[in-house]
PDB file of all heavy atoms in Angstrom:
ATOM      1  N   LEU L 312     -17.320-146.002  -7.476  1.00  0.00           N
ATOM      2  CA  LEU L 312     -18.389-145.478  -8.198  1.00  0.00           C
ATOM      3  C   LEU L 312     -18.420-143.889  -7.955  1.00  0.00           C
ATOM      4  O   LEU L 312     -18.648-143.146  -8.978  1.00  0.00           O
ATOM      5  CB  LEU L 312     -19.714-146.080  -7.837  1.00  0.00           C
ATOM      6  CG  LEU L 312     -19.895-147.518  -8.295  1.00  0.00           C
ATOM      7  CD1 LEU L 312     -21.266-148.039  -7.722  1.00  0.00           C
ATOM      8  CD2 LEU L 312     -19.849-147.605  -9.787  1.00  0.00           C
ATOM      9  N   ASP L 313     -18.238-143.498  -6.733  1.00  0.00           N
ATOM     10  CA  ASP L 313     -18.326-142.052  -6.466  1.00  0.00           C
ATOM     11  C   ASP L 313     -17.203-141.284  -7.197  1.00  0.00           C
ATOM     12  O   ASP L 313     -17.483-140.191  -7.758  1.00  0.00           O
ATOM     13  CB  ASP L 313     -18.267-141.860  -4.979  1.00  0.00           C
ATOM     14  CG  ASP L 313     -18.749-140.493  -4.548  1.00  0.00           C
ATOM     15  OD1 ASP L 313     -19.810-140.054  -5.048  1.00  0.00           O
ATOM     16  OD2 ASP L 313     -18.158-139.879  -3.606  1.00  0.00           O
ATOM     17  N   ARG L 314     -15.947-141.783  -7.159  1.00  0.00           N
ATOM     18  CA  ARG L 314     -14.810-141.161  -7.769  1.00  0.00           C
ATOM     19  C   ARG L 314     -15.089-141.045  -9.258  1.00  0.00           C
ATOM     20  O   ARG L 314     -14.817-140.006  -9.945  1.00  0.00           O
ATOM     21  CB  ARG L 314     -13.602-141.921  -7.473  1.00  0.00           C
ATOM     22  CG  ARG L 314     -12.273-141.487  -8.238  1.00  0.00           C
ATOM     23  CD  ARG L 314     -11.700-140.287  -7.570  1.00  0.00           C
ATOM     24  NE  ARG L 314     -10.546-139.958  -8.388  1.00  0.00           N
ATOM     25  CZ  ARG L 314     -10.033-138.765  -8.418  1.00  0.00           C
ATOM     26  NH1 ARG L 314     -10.465-137.834  -7.651  1.00  0.00           N
ATOM     27  NH2 ARG L 314      -8.967-138.485  -9.081  1.00  0.00           N
ATOM     28  N   VAL L 315     -15.477-142.149  -9.861  1.00  0.00           N
ATOM     29  CA  VAL L 315     -15.619-142.190 -11.312  1.00  0.00           C
ATOM     30  C   VAL L 315     -16.855-141.208 -11.735  1.00  0.00           C
ATOM     31  O   VAL L 315     -16.707-140.438 -12.660  1.00  0.00           O
ATOM     32  CB  VAL L 315     -15.976-143.568 -11.840  1.00  0.00           C
ATOM     33  CG1 VAL L 315     -16.365-143.545 -13.308  1.00  0.00           C
ATOM     34  CG2 VAL L 315     -14.707-144.421 -11.745  1.00  0.00           C
ATOM     35  N   ALA L 316     -17.953-141.192 -10.904  1.00  0.00           N
ATOM     36  CA  ALA L 316     -19.058-140.328 -11.180  1.00  0.00           C
ATOM     37  C   ALA L 316     -18.649-138.861 -11.120  1.00  0.00           C
ATOM     38  O   ALA L 316     -18.996-138.020 -11.948  1.00  0.00           O
ATOM     39  CB  ALA L 316     -20.194-140.587 -10.223  1.00  0.00           C
ATOM     40  N   VAL L 317     -17.850-138.516 -10.132  1.00  0.00           N
ATOM     41  CA  VAL L 317     -17.376-137.113  -9.907  1.00  0.00           C
ATOM     42  C   VAL L 317     -16.503-136.692 -11.170  1.00  0.00           C
ATOM     43  O   VAL L 317     -16.686-135.509 -11.638  1.00  0.00           O
ATOM     44  CB  VAL L 317     -16.669-136.929  -8.582  1.00  0.00           C
ATOM     45  CG1 VAL L 317     -15.895-135.633  -8.568  1.00  0.00           C
ATOM     46  CG2 VAL L 317     -17.666-137.001  -7.470  1.00  0.00           C
ATOM     47  N   ILE L 318     -15.580-137.564 -11.518  1.00  0.00           N
ATOM     48  CA  ILE L 318     -14.685-137.236 -12.664  1.00  0.00           C
ATOM     49  C   ILE L 318     -15.406-137.067 -13.965  1.00  0.00           C
ATOM     50  O   ILE L 318     -15.307-136.072 -14.713  1.00  0.00           O
ATOM     51  CB  ILE L 318     -13.517-138.242 -12.824  1.00  0.00           C
ATOM     52  CG1 ILE L 318     -12.668-138.230 -11.563  1.00  0.00           C
ATOM     53  CG2 ILE L 318     -12.724-138.001 -14.073  1.00  0.00           C
ATOM     54  CD1 ILE L 318     -12.011-136.913 -11.246  1.00  0.00           C
ATOM     55  N   LEU L 319     -16.355-138.023 -14.194  1.00  0.00           N
ATOM     56  CA  LEU L 319     -17.183-137.911 -15.429  1.00  0.00           C
ATOM     57  C   LEU L 319     -18.120-136.725 -15.467  1.00  0.00           C
ATOM     58  O   LEU L 319     -18.292-136.094 -16.463  1.00  0.00           O
ATOM     59  CB  LEU L 319     -17.995-139.245 -15.641  1.00  0.00           C
ATOM     60  CG  LEU L 319     -17.185-140.466 -15.906  1.00  0.00           C
ATOM     61  CD1 LEU L 319     -18.066-141.731 -16.039  1.00  0.00           C
ATOM     62  CD2 LEU L 319     -16.451-140.315 -17.275  1.00  0.00           C
ATOM     63  N   LEU L 320     -18.667-136.402 -14.315  1.00  0.00           N
ATOM     64  CA  LEU L 320     -19.527-135.264 -14.157  1.00  0.00           C
ATOM     65  C   LEU L 320     -18.748-133.951 -14.496  1.00  0.00           C
ATOM     66  O   LEU L 320     -19.263-133.117 -15.262  1.00  0.00           O
ATOM     67  CB  LEU L 320     -20.153-135.132 -12.758  1.00  0.00           C
ATOM     68  CG  LEU L 320     -20.975-133.866 -12.448  1.00  0.00           C
ATOM     69  CD1 LEU L 320     -22.213-133.886 -13.271  1.00  0.00           C
ATOM     70  CD2 LEU L 320     -21.295-133.748 -11.014  1.00  0.00           C
ATOM     71  N   ALA L 321     -17.551-133.834 -13.949  1.00  0.00           N
ATOM     72  CA  ALA L 321     -16.736-132.647 -14.207  1.00  0.00           C
ATOM     73  C   ALA L 321     -16.454-132.534 -15.705  1.00  0.00           C
ATOM     74  O   ALA L 321     -16.546-131.455 -16.270  1.00  0.00           O
ATOM     75  CB  ALA L 321     -15.447-132.674 -13.412  1.00  0.00           C
ATOM     76  N   VAL L 322     -16.041-133.638 -16.330  1.00  0.00           N
ATOM     77  CA  VAL L 322     -15.693-133.595 -17.733  1.00  0.00           C
ATOM     78  C   VAL L 322     -16.919-133.272 -18.647  1.00  0.00           C
ATOM     79  O   VAL L 322     -16.852-132.423 -19.512  1.00  0.00           O
ATOM     80  CB  VAL L 322     -15.064-134.927 -18.155  1.00  0.00           C
ATOM     81  CG1 VAL L 322     -14.957-135.015 -19.676  1.00  0.00           C
ATOM     82  CG2 VAL L 322     -13.662-135.153 -17.485  1.00  0.00           C
ATOM     83  N   LEU L 323     -18.020-133.878 -18.373  1.00  0.00           N
ATOM     84  CA  LEU L 323     -19.226-133.676 -19.136  1.00  0.00           C
ATOM     85  C   LEU L 323     -19.791-132.285 -18.961  1.00  0.00           C
ATOM     86  O   LEU L 323     -20.177-131.601 -19.977  1.00  0.00           O
ATOM     87  CB  LEU L 323     -20.321-134.734 -18.776  1.00  0.00           C
ATOM     88  CG  LEU L 323     -19.961-136.133 -19.157  1.00  0.00           C
ATOM     89  CD1 LEU L 323     -21.048-137.101 -18.649  1.00  0.00           C
ATOM     90  CD2 LEU L 323     -19.876-136.235 -20.619  1.00  0.00           C
TER      91      LEU L 323
END
Side-chain angles (χ1 to χ4, degrees):
L312 288 178
D313 199 41
R314 171 81 180 159
V315 170
V317 163
I318 297 301
L319 290 177
L320 174 66
V322 169
L323 292 174

